[in-house]
Amino acid sequence: MTLIDETTPKTSAAWTREQVLALLDLPFMDLVRRAAEVHARHWPQGDIELASLLSIKTGGCPEDCGYCPQSSRHDTGVAAAKMLDVDEVLAKARAAKAAGATRFCMGAAWRSPKDRDVEKVAALVREVHALGLETCATLGMLEPQQARTLREAGLDYYNHNLDTAPEFYGEVIGTRVYEDRLQTLRHVREAGLKVCCGGIVGMGETRAHRAGLIAELAALDPAPDSVPINSLVRVPGTPLADAPPVDPFELVRVVAAARIVMPRSRVRLSAGRRELGDGIQALCFLAGANSIFYCDQLLVTGNADAEDDRKLLARLNLSPTKKEVSA
């Protein structure tokens, strides 16, 4: 099958899943080499964005997502907690900025927030934005007015992942449908927010399903500004706790394909990065990853140590992104 030249302007539907699968099926070194060339062309500075993530409201989610330890349907030992207050969040945000992070992401375990919840998050957004950090939130499904409220408060990005291909989605989640996620993404774009949207590798999906996910992401118009690539963290008590591990080179393939198909998006190594090891992470950076979650914990699961991250980037001669938003 002929592969599309990513340098040619194309419509949002230009990359079919068959073409993405053809990418994923390329010989490994050929795929990584091609992705590295695309990355160098579109991101010549070669910087790595450091994004910090904080759970501002943990546990008690009514959804049944098979990978999530925060679901009230799974016995994982994660208790429902109240939303953090402003002082707690600001202390974490200041620490993240001092450590070099340029984006601060706030996550809450809601299926869909109430308006009063959105107002509380908006107050946090205003305070974090005033510190000179980019702001991001992931709160579940949003209504149009809720998205506008967050944008007016200074929110820069909204995260809402597609997780996997449409035809595999029902194997992982039963409490909402794919269209619900796409609708929230439309509301976010219409409000003028930037989109952070990606998926998870290792939930029992096939390579064809991974191609389907990447094709769906590329078909968003425009493509997501940030694309988090997560490796499943198998948490005891979740339905996917015993999912078979995925060859880490498969994750590199997904990163490479995402870079080629979405050349102007930040591709972020997200959950599961700690288990990859330095060598696989280096391959992911070569294949086009240019953002990482940079904090000791991702919502409720562990993450790579920040000091180790700084050392790894230095060993690879990679520089963190230097930027600050206007307050």
Side-chain angles (χ1 to χ4, degrees):
M1 178 173 294
T2 301
L3 299 178
I4 291 176
D5 179 356
E6 73 285 337
T7 63
T8 303
K10 51 186 181 293
T11 66
S12 60
W15 284 95
T16 67
R17 66 173 53 209
E18 290 78 15
Q19 289 163 335
V20 178
L21 183 57
L23 279 177
L24 290 172
D25 284 341
L26 285 172
F28 182 82
M29 294 301 182
D30 291 347
L31 174 58
V32 172
R33 185 180 303 110
R34 178 172 174 177
E37 291 170 352
V38 172
H39 184 67
R41 184 158 59 250
H42 290 279
W43 299 89
Q45 292 182 330
D47 60 295
I48 303 295
E49 177 193 64
L50 305 182
S52 185
L53 175 63
L54 175 67
S55 177
I56 60 172
K57 194 281 173 191
T58 303
C61 181
E63 301 268 34
D64 67 353
C65 306
Y67 52 80
C68 185
Q70 300 200 68
S71 170
S72 60
R73 299 166 184 251
H74 310 327
D75 184 13
T76 62
V78 176
K82 294 181 179 179
M83 187 171 165
L84 299 181
D85 62 32
V86 174
D87 289 341
E88 291 177 284
V89 174
L90 282 179
K92 293 289 188 180
R94 290 190 184 101
K97 183 178 179 180
T102 57
R103 188 183 301 183
F104 190 74
C105 307
M106 293 168 277
W110 291 314
R111 168 180 166 80
S112 52
K114 297 179 174 62
D115 289 344
R116 65 174 180 269
D117 298 323
V118 172
E119 291 292 344
K120 291 178 182 178
V121 175
L124 295 176
V125 168
R126 282 189 283 270
E127 295 289 343
V128 173
H129 182 82
L131 296 178
L133 286 163
E134 286 187 332
T135 54
C136 180
T138 179
L139 315 171
M141 295 183 287
L142 291 183
E143 295 299 323
Q145 180 55 47
Q146 293 176 326
R148 289 194 293 270
T149 295
L150 293 170
R151 180 69 187 96
E152 290 164 4
L155 189 69
D156 297 297
Y157 292 82
Y158 194 78
N159 167 259
H160 201 61
N161 291 333
L162 293 181
D163 288 344
T164 189
E167 69 274 16
F168 190 70
Y169 186 83
E171 300 296 317
V172 180
I173 300 168
T175 48
R176 71 170 96 167
V177 297
Y178 214 73
E179 177 57 29
D180 291 332
R181 292 188 180 265
L182 294 172
Q183 184 177 58
T184 288
L185 292 172
R186 286 193 290 269
H187 294 163
V188 166
R189 279 289 192 209
E190 289 166 1
L193 290 163
K194 296 177 182 178
V195 167
C196 176
C197 185
I200 306 172
V201 175
M203 299 190 293
E205 78 286 347
T206 64
R207 183 178 285 180
H209 292 140
R210 293 170 202 139
L213 167 65
I214 295 171
E216 288 291 329
L217 293 170
L220 297 175
D221 193 9
D225 302 273
S226 295
V227 180
I229 304 296
N230 300 275
S231 179
L232 176 69
V233 178
R234 293 171 290 169
V235 178
T238 61
L240 291 175
D242 298 319
V246 173
D247 184 338
F249 292 116
E250 195 68 22
L251 183 73
V252 181
R253 287 182 181 274
V254 171
V255 168
R259 170 51 64 223
I260 293 168
V261 172
M262 294 170 280
R264 296 171 183 83
S265 302
R266 285 275 182 188
V267 177
R268 178 181 300 134
L269 289 183
S270 301
R273 186 168 60 84
R274 181 173 62 175
E275 289 74 29
L276 295 177
D278 291 353
I280 294 296
Q281 289 188 71
L283 279 173
C284 287
F285 293 136
L286 179 63
N290 59 349
S291 177
I292 61 173
F293 268 131
Y294 176 72
C295 48
D296 296 332
Q297 183 167 300
L298 299 179
L299 298 181
V300 296
T301 59
N303 191 39
D305 179 78
E307 178 61 26
D308 290 342
D309 283 337
R310 287 192 291 268
K311 290 179 180 178
L312 176 60
L313 294 181
R315 288 163 59 200
L316 298 175
N317 304 112
L318 295 171
S319 300
T321 301
K322 302 290 185 184
K323 61 184 175 184
E324 183 167 314
V325 298
S326 58

